[in-house]
Amino acid sequence: MDITRIIGPLNEAQRQAVTSPHASLLVLAGAGSGKTRVLVHRMAWLMRAEGIPPHGILAVTFTNKAAMEMRGRVEGLLEINARELWMGTFHGLAHRLLRRHARDAGLPNAFQILDSDDQYRLIRRILKNLDLDEARWPPRQIQWFINACKDEGRRARHLPESYDAFQIQMQRVYLAYEETCDRTGVVDFAELLLRTHEFLRDNPEMLAHYQRRFHHVLVDEFQDTNRIQYAWLRLLTRDRDNLFVVGDDDQSIYGWRGAKIENLYNFQRDYPRHELIRLEQNYRSTGTILQAANALIAHNQGRLGKTLWTQDLSGEPISLYAAFNEQEEALFVVERLRQWVEQGNLRSEAAILYRSNAQSRQFEEKLVALGIPYRVYGGLRFFERAEIKDALAYLRLIANRADDASFERIINTPVRGMGPKTLDTIRDTARNERCSLWEAAQRSCLDTELPARARNSLSGFLELIETTAADTSDLALWEQVQRVIARSGLLDHYRKEKGEQAEARLENLEELINAARQFEYEPADEDLGKLDQFLAHAALEAGENQADGFQDCVQLMTLHSAKGLEFDLVFMVGMEEGLFPSLHSLEEPGRLEEERRLCYVGITRARRKLYLTHAECRRIYGKENYPRPSRFVREIPAEHLEEVRVRGTVKRPVGAATLGGHVRNDAGLRLGQRVLHAKFGEGVILQQEGEGSQARVQVNFADVGMKWLMLAYANLQSL
DNA sequence: TGTTAATAAATTTTT
DNA sequence: TTTATTAACA
């Protein structure tokens, strides 16, 4: 038996978690402590040592990437095909259950999934229907409201009556939104979870069936679960006490989208027989980096408590660089990257991490200038591109004529002579007859309300969908996709258009056919036709945002998307008050703590070397700002920091005064010079004007901000 | 119907 | 500053 393979490579705490006789377990796993390893080996242990069949294990993750990695590692460890394991994202698994029990869950068999873009469009349409002004009821805010309600498990009818006019309208939209989704057979992401929860809760036999089936339920990144996800897990495991969760309260960075750290406390309360295990040994970073991270996170209140340690005690100090402005910051980082590559290191082992996506531009420009290949994470993903969504909308309408969202999207895309008036008539008919837009369109073709020209175009469109559906029903998926793209006129539409964009769109459509071809190898789903399976796949896994993942590239991404990754060399840039921590988080202490956790996540991404940079001056929305360095920098003990100057490195603790001569004349000054003022403390010179006794300088002080000072009286010391 | 000028807004993101 | 959306126009 290969038990030694399973427990051999583990440390004491990991082994304890993997082999625990308890079925309910809370593993507090610090950054880089091997949490995925514990999950993978736990599953292997359950199957090999405890004889649990693969289909008796349910493993839940947040992203498809994590699920895929886990599956791959289980297969590698046990040399089995792990297909029988129920492993996937919350949404993926909920989707699977809903497909299997669509009727019992109150859904049509051919229900379609709305992604956030579809959802947004639908909400806008409903606002129009209800005659509400988008300026007063911003669709984004309503979308946020609806999703937040669903994440909390609240239906529109559950909401308390409100006297606030704004609230009343939001609830009205929510109600209409639910009604439309039900009528047209579409389900948004949050609905997948809510609907599954209600289905299990209200069908005791079904619930009992799944409770019996799953001997063990394992959850990754438990600190990121929201209320409905926890309720869902609770239903499945409450009678058998068999929930195994892995998480890290210090890495909870998604509170703003509904994640509840409280679920960690709820778990401890609801599973009183659980065992608590801490994984505190870090195998990733140097001692210096870990100590800095520990010191930083110690500033947060109410932690579950956990201190990372490593056998490595050494490590280069963390470098801190104060740039003059954001341009110069980028220049510095890219220059260091150039040296890194020159020393023979891999570009893909270096990352630039920033708080907000807008910051990437400066770095991209400088990287391009030096010809260093890079990859930016985030942004539009494959299945989210407009042309792809257009093509998918045709396919969805073929799969389900009641899908109003898709109908609206493509009725006049590409343009076929149906303007807003025609559409309005159809919408009116649909509303009056309480039928789908498709049916309404059919009726409009028959009566004479529409002008003849519009009627012609409309019946042409209806026929296009019908004949394409009939002609392609027997074809292989990829051929079906190919035909639809051609017959819909999308191909011609982009062919006529010129420019790089149109060309890229054509390539993407080509790529969609390829994706469909690849999809043929996907194992068939017993509950689903190939086309429906493909459409669900497109909605649930939006795909990568860039195709060429194989080139050796410097990695650029937000701190959020860096979670779970690690690099030898990390630059955390824009370490400034108002940027990081962000302006929006300064009021609420809770949000500030989340920012600090985000900083903790960033620091612990680095294996060997970490740089922190900030700029004395930064343009934000076209205006110049002079931010102070981030408080997080100050929360890292000075002994782990080393200030970097462009000309050589000065080794000295940050903040301590150093001797320097008086600044007597213009020659002794330069922009960016650090100076000390008797009253205002440390600062940096940003501008100067005038000469001789009239000379003035603008200084940005760390503590008191911007000041104009007369050079003759200021008595500045240079640092 | 498609283009252009004006205007407003502007974290973090997965499913 | 950049981006998206909308209103006005040819």
Side-chain angles (χ1 to χ4, degrees), chain A residues 119-130:
Chain A
Q119 186 186 34
Y120 178 74
R121 287 160 179 273
L122 179 53
I123 288 169
R124 289 185 66 178
R125 211 178 81 216
I126 287 167
L127 284 173
K128 200 173 263 176
N129 271 345
L130 295 178

Side-chain angles (χ1 to χ4, degrees), chain A residues 112-309:
Chain A
Q112 298 290 316
I113 301 170
L114 291 185
D115 71 12
S116 7
D117 183 58
D118 300 330
Q119 186 186 34
Y120 178 74
R121 287 160 179 273
L122 179 53
I123 288 169
R124 289 185 66 178
R125 211 178 81 216
I126 287 167
L127 284 173
K128 200 173 263 176
N129 271 345
L130 295 178
D131 216 17
L132 290 174
D133 184 6
E134 281 192 15
R136 285 186 62 197
W137 287 277
R140 286 269 170 237
Q141 202 175 337
I142 293 176
Q143 182 179 24
W144 187 271
F145 170 78
I146 291 175
N147 288 334
C149 285
K150 290 191 175 191
D151 286 345
E152 294 280 311
R154 293 146 85 94
R155 294 271 176 211
R157 61 176 184 279
H158 296 147
L159 295 172
E161 211 175 308
S162 174
Y163 296 98
D164 176 61
F166 187 74
Q167 190 71 22
I168 289 169
Q169 292 304 337
M170 290 231 280
Q171 296 185 5
R172 210 174 130 219
V173 179
Y174 184 14
L175 204 63
Y177 172 80
E178 274 188 327
E179 197 268 322
T180 313
C181 287
D182 284 345
R183 186 166 45 76
T184 59
V186 294
V187 167
D188 62 45
F189 288 133
E191 181 74 25
L192 286 169
L193 301 175
L194 180 52
R195 185 71 70 138
T196 313
H197 178 255
E198 290 171 344
F199 159 68
L200 289 173
R201 186 194 60 196
D202 302 337
N203 289 274
E205 337 68 63
M206 277 292 123
L207 177 59
H209 166 78
Y210 284 105
Q211 283 175 336
R212 251 196 320 273
R213 168 169 188 162
F214 298 125
H215 293 77
H216 291 274
V217 178
L218 297 88
V219 186
D220 190 17
E221 306 274 21
F222 185 69
Q223 77 282 349
D224 287 337
T225 49
N226 63 33
R227 197 180 294 259
I228 194 72
Q229 284 160 345
Y230 182 70
W232 192 85
L233 294 169
R234 180 81 190 127
L235 270 182
L236 283 172
T237 59
R238 64 174 180 206
D239 295 335
R240 296 181 68 175
D241 221 8
N242 54 344
L243 183 58
F244 183 110
V245 304
V246 181
D248 181 359
D249 53 329
D250 291 333
Q251 291 191 70
S252 159
I253 54 175
Y254 287 110
W256 54 274
R257 71 174 194 218
K260 295 260 179 277
I261 310 194
E262 295 95 290
N263 283 343
L264 280 164
Y265 313 130
N266 294 338
F267 176 90
Q268 294 186 299
R269 183 195 63 208
D270 296 339
Y271 298 84
R273 300 209 314 249
H274 77 276
E275 184 177 359
L276 170 68
I277 292 173
R278 289 185 165 83
L279 302 183
E280 297 178 298
Q281 182 173 5
N282 174 292
Y283 294 96
R284 182 186 294 157
S285 311
T286 65
T288 307
I289 288 168
L290 272 194
Q291 286 167 40
N294 281 335
L296 175 93
I297 202 65
H299 285 82
N300 273 3
Q301 308 291 313
R303 300 167 55 221
L304 286 172
K306 182 168 39 50
T307 305
L308 288 177
W309 61 277

Side-chain angles (χ1 to χ4, degrees), chain A residues 8-23:
Chain A
L10 304 175
N11 69 27
E12 192 49 43
Q14 291 172 340
R15 191 174 308 168
Q16 203 186 334
V18 165
T19 61
S20 172
H22 295 260

Side-chain angles (χ1 to χ4, degrees), chain A residues 77-120:
Chain A
L77 184 61
L78 293 186
E79 288 162 344
I80 56 158
N81 187 330
R83 197 181 291 169
E84 269 185 87
L85 277 166
W86 275 55
M87 195 181 295
T89 62
F90 275 104
H91 295 86
L93 294 164
H95 174 247
R96 199 158 156 185
L97 282 171
L98 289 181
R99 284 291 177 194
R100 185 157 296 178
H101 306 286
R103 193 174 312 162
D104 288 330
L107 288 170
N109 274 321
F111 75 87
Q112 298 290 316
I113 301 170
L114 291 185
D115 71 12
S116 7
D117 183 58
D118 300 330
Q119 186 186 34
Y120 178 74

Side-chain angles (χ1 to χ4, degrees), chain A residues 411-661:
Chain A
I411 177 162
N412 205 27
T413 312
V415 282
R416 39 174 82 84
M418 276 170 295
K421 267 175 281 144
T422 319
L423 254 169
D424 273 338
T425 320
I426 299 173
R427 284 204 202 96
D428 276 344
T429 314
R431 200 154 8 141
N432 295 335
E433 309 279 330
R434 315 206 103 250
C435 65
S436 65
L437 289 173
W438 178 264
E439 286 173 70
Q442 284 179 319
R443 279 174 220 195
S444 303
C445 278
L446 299 178
D447 64 40
T448 48
E449 206 180 319
L450 280 175
R453 198 147 50 96
R455 233 185 309 158
N456 269 337
S457 325
L458 187 56
S459 64
F461 174 69
L462 297 179
E463 206 176 294
L464 170 72
I465 299 295
E466 287 291 9
T467 55
T468 313
D471 295 352
T472 59
S473 58
D474 294 330
L475 295 178
L477 176 67
W478 73 270
E479 280 181 297
Q480 195 173 15
V481 174
Q482 191 180 39
R483 291 276 180 96
V484 166
I485 290 175
R487 298 257 294 253
S488 64
L490 283 173
L491 215 51
D492 289 333
H493 175 74
Y494 289 121
R495 272 202 195 120
K496 264 186 286 175
E497 232 172 281
K498 46 204 170 301
E500 258 179 72
Q501 269 223 325
E503 222 156 278
R505 291 186 196 282
L506 279 175
E507 275 172 33
N508 286 332
L509 287 173
E510 196 59 46
E511 193 53 43
L512 181 66
I513 300 169
N514 262 331
R517 206 180 264 132
Q518 284 300 313
F519 202 74
E520 300 285 357
Y521 300 108
E522 200 80 0
D525 190 316
E526 53 197 277
D527 306 306
L528 226 48
K530 204 75 188 167
L531 176 58
D532 285 312
Q533 202 188 338
F534 184 63
L535 291 172
H537 166 84
L540 287 172
E541 305 185 36
E544 286 287 311
N545 54 12
Q546 270 174 39
D548 52 343
F550 45 83
Q551 206 192 356
D552 180 32
C553 289
V554 171
Q555 314 286 303
L556 274 70
M557 67 190 82
T558 62
L559 287 154
H560 280 91
S561 36
K563 193 167 84 153
L565 305 176
E566 53 187 284
F567 310 92
D568 282 329
L569 173 65
V570 168
F571 296 88
M572 287 174 70
V573 301
M575 300 294 296
E576 294 144 33
E577 287 290 303
L579 230 196
F580 188 37
S582 97
L583 198 59
H584 306 266
S585 63
L586 292 179
E587 273 106 70
E588 266 180 85
R591 306 205 65 179
L592 184 69
E593 293 212 337
E594 184 156 308
E595 294 279 302
R596 191 175 283 112
R597 292 194 292 269
L598 189 56
C599 187
Y600 174 81
V601 167
I603 293 173
T604 52
R605 296 311 94 195
R607 281 196 283 253
R608 312 235 57 86
K609 177 70 187 173
L610 175 65
Y611 280 90
L612 305 177
T613 68
H614 63 95
E616 300 290 347
C617 169
R618 181 179 297 274
R619 284 186 96 89
I620 296 175
Y621 306 145
K623 276 209 176 69
E624 283 186 346
N625 291 69
Y626 299 95
R628 297 191 297 157
S630 171
R631 68 190 69 192
F632 301 148
V633 173
R634 268 175 285 141
E635 290 171 2
I636 295 172
E639 67 207 76
H640 300 131
L641 290 172
E642 164 191 88
E643 234 183 314
V644 179
R645 304 294 177 81
V646 193
R647 290 174 188 281
T649 302
V650 183
K651 253 203 174 137
R652 68 171 175 85
V654 178
T658 18
L659 290 175

